[in-house]
Structure formats: C-alpha cells, structure tokens
Amino acid sequence: MAAGRWEPQGGMWLEADCNLVSGESLARQLLKGQAFWRREFGLQVESCWIPDVFGYPASLPQILRRSGLRCFLTQKMSWSKLNEFPHDSFVWRGIDGSGILTHFPPEYTYNSYCDPEGLAKAEKTFHEKAFLDEFLTLIGIGDGGGGPKDEHLEHALRARSAEGLPRVSLGGSRAFFERLAAREAELPVWDGELYLEYHRGTYTSQARTKRNNRRLEQELRAAEALCSCLPLELWPRAELDAAVGTLLLHQFHDILPGSSVREVYEDADAAYAE
C-alpha cells in the first residue's frame, strides 16, 4: 500500500445498508471504518465506495463530508426498474446543502471484463460524454473480491489503442477523482435521495431483524446518554464496543435489507439475543 499498488476504498466499517439505519448508525459506520484505516495503515480514506447498496438517503452527503470523505462511487442506481438515472459524473447535494463528487461507472457493473462489448456499452451510455472524456471501469471479479484475471488485464492492454473502442489506461481512482474535481463547476447537480427502483423488500422483508436493529440503535443511544453522566473510568467500554460491533455487522447490505439466506437470520437472531 505504501508503494501505491493498493488503493484503500470504502470509508465505512462495512458496506452497510443506508435505507433503514439511523443517521447515527451511518456516522458510527464511518467513525469505526476511518478509525480502522488510521490504526492499521496510518491513513484516512477519501472515497466512499458502496457499489451494491440498495439506495442512498439525502442525509448521506453531509455525513460523508463530515467524516472526511470527498468522493462517492456506486453503480447500483442503474438497476432501477422504470426511470433511468440521468447522470454518471455529477455533484450529489444533500438536504443541508453539502455536496460530494459522485461517479457511476457507466458500464454499470463492478464485474467488468474490460472486453470490447462492455467498453463500447460504457462509452455509449456515459451521460456526460458531451463534455467529459473519461470514466471509470471496475475491472475484475468485484462481487466477492476476486479482482482482475489475466484475460481481463489482457483485454485492457489491447484496448489502449484499439480502433472503435474507448482508450483504456490502467490506474487508480484517486487520480481520476482529482481530474474530475477540476471540472466540478461544469458538472450537473442532483438534489436529495438516490432512490433505487428495485429491491423494495429492503423496507419489509425479515421484519424481526429490522426490529432488532432499531431496538439496538435505541438502546445504545440510551446507554451512552446514561454513561455520559458517569466519570469516564466507570464507562463499560467493553460491553458498549461489543454492542456497537453487533449493530454494525448486522447492518451489512445483504443482512438488514433481507436479501440473505435463512441461516444468516438464524445467526443474527442469536447475536441480537446475546
């Protein structure tokens, strides 16, 4: 990582659901996530990558900015059922007026093979191509963390100067976002929620898990309020840290929304019961 061959992303403790959790839980995810990067690597992440979350609330830009993040990336909005989202490179503005530089890779996948079909699709669908000449493509097996295979990289190398295809240049996202930031004044602005017209079971399925999440959010807030009346040396830190860990883990975007298998919810019920 020190040599620049790895680029840390995420910002949050894990890729959490952003629809059903409280604003305080989102702040906890970022606080614990950034603390991990500082403790383990001596750095702070500047980009929030949560490409598989099922929608994003209008409060998130403010929370991200106040957590030290300046960029946001996802591809999930391309899954909407009815309405095509109109931007790929834009400024997302939240309810308090905070804006965050945002990019949706226009191939609309985190599993790009960087093959001619995918690159041509990305070039065609890129909404800002009339005035921007650059977009990101996420090469490799991103769903599960496998990374790029040899053939994916070979596709990328061949596309560096292939007639009829966008020119591919391998690199990190930080430099891309810095170049995009230089054009920020030209970018469109989206105000408010990023609502995904898909996965609507996010709000209804696995009601027990959703109830337990909200109960633990409320009990943690009450416990910390009571602890604030005590001297610091009397705080039950180990117990509070364990409860926060349970809360944040089960806010993962394939647990809390209800999109996991039965065994996951059996484990979650047992964890909440502890």
Side-chain angles (χ1 to χ4, degrees), residues 113-135:
Y113 294 170
C114 206
D115 56 11
E117 181 181 5
L119 293 173
K121 170 192 171 184
E123 183 179 37
K124 180 179 179 181
T125 58
F126 184 37
H127 286 96
E128 285 70 47
K129 59 179 174 286
F131 66 97
L132 294 178
D133 62 357
E134 186 176 16
F135 56 79

Side-chain angles (χ1 to χ4, degrees), residues 73-241:
L73 181 143
T74 185
Q75 59 85 43
K76 200 70 172 188
M77 294 300 294
S78 64
W79 289 38
S80 283
K81 281 285 190 179
L82 300 174
N83 298 293
E84 177 183 322
F85 193 79
H87 309 301
D88 293 316
S89 290
F90 62 101
V91 175
W92 180 23
R93 189 161 58 197
I95 53 179
D96 76 326
S98 296
I100 191 160
L101 195 63
T102 301
H103 184 66
F104 298 166
E107 196 173 344
Y108 303 140
T109 180
Y110 43 66
N111 297 304
S112 172
Y113 294 170
C114 206
D115 56 11
E117 181 181 5
L119 293 173
K121 170 192 171 184
E123 183 179 37
K124 180 179 179 181
T125 58
F126 184 37
H127 286 96
E128 285 70 47
K129 59 179 174 286
F131 66 97
L132 294 178
D133 62 357
E134 186 176 16
F135 56 79
L136 285 179
T137 287
L138 308 181
I139 304 173
I141 308 302
D143 196 357
K149 295 182 178 180
D150 291 347
E151 57 263 36
H152 304 156
L153 295 174
E154 182 63 27
H155 290 158
L157 293 175
R158 294 188 181 195
R160 287 182 297 183
S161 58
E163 185 71 26
L165 292 178
R167 297 189 175 221
V168 172
S169 175
L170 297 174
S173 71
R174 176 176 296 178
F176 166 81
F177 275 113
E178 288 174 354
R179 292 189 295 270
L180 187 60
R183 307 284 298 275
E184 185 170 345
E186 305 170 55
L187 298 179
V189 176
W190 180 267
D191 284 291
E193 180 184 13
L194 297 175
Y195 175 70
L196 179 65
E197 299 168 352
Y198 197 62
H199 291 330
R200 288 182 175 87
T202 290
Y203 295 98
T204 55
S205 60
Q206 299 296 338
R208 184 191 300 110
T209 302
K210 292 171 168 53
R211 180 192 63 193
N212 287 337
N213 172 76
R214 187 53 47 88
R215 176 180 59 82
L216 187 51
E217 284 182 331
Q218 294 171 342
E219 290 180 355
L220 266 172
R221 183 174 61 186
E224 289 174 340
L226 289 172
C227 286
S228 69
C229 301
L230 299 173
L232 286 175
E233 61 271 16
L234 296 181
W235 278 46
R237 293 188 178 277
E239 291 82 355
L240 286 174
D241 288 345

